[in-house]
């Protein structure tokens, strides 16, 4: 039986992935239920990790994202083009350009 990874554990995984992406010049933003958990820690369950990345890394520089995710221990999910998995945790990548239309938030790279 595979032991379930806690929400705190998933946040730690996000931090590891974020550091790896940073080394490749990619600045992710936490998003989705794990992001909400950071504000409302009583959130019962977080199924996956959602991050926002600059649009270019889901387009012409996608290979850089794939390489960085591989270094973090994740491979592309065969079913979903912008999702990665390590067999226990799924990470979905959303384009920053869609964040404003979806949530009214302007993503900026600092």
């Amino acid at each position: 039986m595979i032991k379930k990874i806690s929400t705190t554990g998933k946040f730690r995984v996000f931090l590891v992935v974020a550091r790896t992406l940073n080394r490749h010049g990619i600045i992710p933003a936490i998003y989705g239920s794990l992001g909400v958990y950071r504000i409302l820690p009583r959130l019962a369950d977080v199924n996956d990790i959602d991050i926002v990345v600059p649009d270019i890394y889901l387009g012409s520089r996608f290979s850089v994202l794939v390489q960085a995710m591989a270094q973090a221990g994740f491979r592309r999910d065969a079913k979903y083009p912008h999702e990665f998995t390590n067999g226990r945790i799924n990470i979905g990548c959303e384009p920053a350009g869609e964040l404003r239309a979806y949530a009214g938030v302007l993503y900026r790279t600092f």
Side-chain angles (χ1 to χ4, degrees), residues 42-94:
R42 294 179 190 236
L43 184 65
D45 195 23
V46 172
N47 295 321
D48 60 0
I49 299 171
D50 297 305
I51 61 174
V52 176
V53 297
D55 294 7
I56 194 167
Y57 293 103
L58 294 175
S60 64
R61 300 210 56 203
F62 187 63
S63 63
V64 175
L65 178 64
V66 171
Q67 178 184 8
M69 292 299 289
Q71 287 179 2
F74 287 82
R75 66 187 181 287
R76 283 184 67 193
D77 186 306
K79 295 179 187 176
Y80 306 101
H82 296 145
E83 285 198 16
F84 298 84
T85 186
N86 68 0
R88 294 186 69 201
I89 298 174
N90 293 336
I91 298 179
C93 298
E94 301 294 329

